[in-house]
Structures are given as C-alpha cells and as structure tokens.
C-alpha cells in the first residue's frame, strides 16, 4: 500500500531534550516536506527536499533541522525543543514539485513540549 | 512571497451547493491546489488548477482565474461527510519549490 508513515504519532517531551520525528514514504517520490499545523494558522511549511541531499527552508524553519540521506526518509530534528514548538506535524511527499503534484500526507505527529 | 485568503467558516445544509473562495497575492504563480482535512485526520488532495477555467471531479469542481488572482472550490449535493476543513495552496515561485497553504475554511454541513 502506498503510504507515508511518521513516528511517533504522539510525543510529550521537555524543553531542551533533542528529539527526532521520522518520516518514510514507499512511493519513490522525489519531493518531501514537513509542515506544522496550529489553530487558525493552517499548514505552514517548515522544510522541503527536492531530492537526496537537497533541502531548503520553508516559511517557518527556525528551531528545526532536516536531512535527506535516502530518498525514502526525511526525518525532522528538534535539537532543543521549546514550548512554542508544541504543534501537530505532518510529513508529505509528492512525485515532483510540491505545488504541481498531489501531496500525500502522513498521519501526523502531535508534539507537546513542556 | 505569498498570501492566501479564505473565509474561516462556511455553513450549509445537506444537498446544497457551497463555494469556498481563495484569493492570493503572489510574485509568481504556478497553480492552485485544494486539500480536504477531516478533524483528526491528514490533509488529502482534491484538485489542482494550472490554467484558467473549471476542473470537475465528481461532486467537486475547482475554478481558477489567473487574471483575478482568485480561485474557488465548488461542492455540490453536499453530504454530512463533507464537513471538514478545506485549504487552498500555491507554489511559491520566489521560494522555488516552497508550498504555501491558506489558513483553511471550515465547512459545517447540517441535516
């Protein structure tokens, strides 16, 4: 089954404790991205990647890191999480450029930073 | 950069037709996409318009006018299951491959 998976689905952590949210897709998609969703603000893109070793900032990259060492994986790293990073996070992938192709979203990761 | 405006909420009754508008300001433009998101779920793709005009997919249609920087999603024969949030999105030409979403329109369908 074609899908995007994220882990963990729920995470409660404390300020400053480094964490990684994994994202994997099995569709051989070139484009992958991370979004955060907050009430009233919609989906905001954090980082995106056009291919292996090619990443770029979205609208809200501060406090986040990403890497794309393999085509299928695109982990999101919070090196020193803060409470303002409490949010619902979605990973997505698409065949090509994010705006021109259907984005397939993962199930989401609800992160709480205390 | 980009900004997209959508109404925050729209209400309608089963069987009715509803239109959700999206206006955008952008320094470059490739096309307009629409996504649906049910409460607690992930966004799912509905449609994409690169050219002016109406694209129809079953009960849903999407329209784009590039000269007016405006698009809309039209939902016909509304069903209760259409209650969800709807987002328009554009690719940011200045950001090369960045994708920008609107803040979303919550559609409430009542019996």
């Amino acid at each position: 089954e074609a899908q995007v998976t994220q882990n963990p689905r729920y995470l409660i952590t404390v300020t400053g404790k480094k964490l990684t949210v994994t994202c994997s897709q099995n569709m051989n998609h070139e484009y992958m991205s991370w979004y955060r969703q907050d009430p009233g603000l919609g989906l905001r893109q954090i980082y995106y990647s056009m291919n292996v070793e090619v990443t770029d900032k979205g609208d809200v990259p501060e406090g986040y890191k990403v890497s794309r060492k393999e085509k299928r994986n695109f982990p999101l790293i919070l090196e020193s999480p803060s409470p303002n990073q409490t949010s619902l996070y979605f990973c997505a992938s698409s065949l090509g450029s994010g705006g021109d192709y259907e984005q397939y979203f993962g199930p989401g990761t609800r992160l709480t930073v205390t | 950069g980009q900004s997209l405006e959508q109404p925050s909420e729209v209400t309608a009754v089963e069987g009715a037709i509803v239109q959700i508008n999206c206006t955008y300001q952008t320094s470059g433009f490739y096309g307009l996409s629409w996504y649906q998101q049910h409460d607690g779920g992930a966004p799912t793709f509905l449609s994409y318009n690169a050219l002016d005009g109406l694209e129809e997919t079953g009960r849903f249609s999407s329209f784009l006018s590039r000269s007016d920087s405006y698009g809309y999603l039209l939902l016909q024969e509304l069903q209760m299951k259409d209650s969800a949030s709807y987002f328009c999105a554009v690719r940011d030409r200045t950001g090369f491959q960045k994708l920008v979403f609107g803040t979303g329109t919550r559609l409430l369908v009542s019996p």
Side-chain angles (χ1 to χ4, degrees):
Chain A
E1 180 192 354
Q3 61 182 349
V4 178
T5 56
Q6 296 178 228
N7 282 292
R9 294 289 312 279
Y10 302 90
L11 179 60
I12 301 174
T13 190
V14 296
T15 299
K17 186 176 181 182
K18 180 178 179 179
L19 66 92
T20 299
V21 184
T22 64
C23 173
S24 183
Q25 50 94 3
N26 62 1
M27 295 169 278
N28 200 37
H29 282 169
E30 302 277 334
Y31 188 96
M32 297 186 74
S33 60
W34 277 102
Y35 301 88
R36 61 176 290 172
Q37 185 171 33
D38 303 289
L41 296 178
L43 290 152
R44 293 181 292 167
Q45 195 175 46
I46 302 170
Y47 271 95
Y48 61 90
S49 168
M50 278 302 297
N51 212 326
V52 175
E53 304 291 2
V54 181
T55 63
D56 207 348
K57 297 176 182 179
D59 274 334
V60 288
E62 295 77 20
Y64 304 94
K65 285 177 60 176
V66 292
S67 68
R68 186 97 180 269
K69 293 183 169 52
E70 303 167 282
K71 195 172 186 179
R72 64 183 293 127
N73 296 323
F74 191 46
L76 179 70
I77 302 156
L78 286 73
E79 299 240 329
S80 184
S82 63
N84 64 11
Q85 292 178 297
T86 292
S87 187
L88 178 59
Y89 291 86
F90 288 102
C91 178
S93 72
S94 60
L95 192 60
S97 172
D100 302 344
Y101 292 85
E102 175 179 353
Q103 295 270 297
Y104 292 81
F105 283 82
T109 295
R110 187 166 292 281
L111 172 66
T112 302
V113 183
T114 62
Chain B
Q2 249 85 338
S3 69
L4 296 96
E5 290 189 15
Q6 303 178 235
S8 59
E9 188 171 290
V10 174
T11 58
V13 297
E14 270 189 304
I17 299 172
V18 73
Q19 179 174 312
I20 298 174
N21 299 322
C22 175
T23 57
Y24 58 88
Q25 294 180 341
T26 174
S27 54
F29 183 78
Y30 287 101
L32 186 71
S33 302
W34 287 94
Y35 286 80
Q36 178 192 60
Q37 184 181 28
H38 287 99
D39 284 347
T44 56
F45 175 82
L46 290 177
S47 67
Y48 173 67
N49 293 68
L51 303 175
D52 286 358
L54 191 68
E55 297 273 347
E56 297 181 61
T57 309
R59 294 187 298 114
F60 293 4
S61 303
S62 56
F63 173 82
L64 176 65
S65 169
R66 296 164 71 100
S67 60
D68 294 324
S69 296
Y70 163 74
Y72 65 72
L73 181 69
L74 190 72
L75 296 84
Q76 302 182 73
E77 300 172 20
L78 280 174
Q79 302 175 8
M80 296 293 289
K81 67 179 182 179
D82 297 328
S83 291
S85 293
Y86 294 84
F87 296 89
C88 56
V90 297
R91 184 174 141 196
D92 185 336
R93 190 166 190 156
T94 61
F96 196 55
Q97 303 290 351
K98 192 167 65 171
L99 188 59
V100 180
F101 281 80
T103 53
T105 299
R106 188 170 180 83
L107 172 63
L108 301 172
V109 181
S110 56

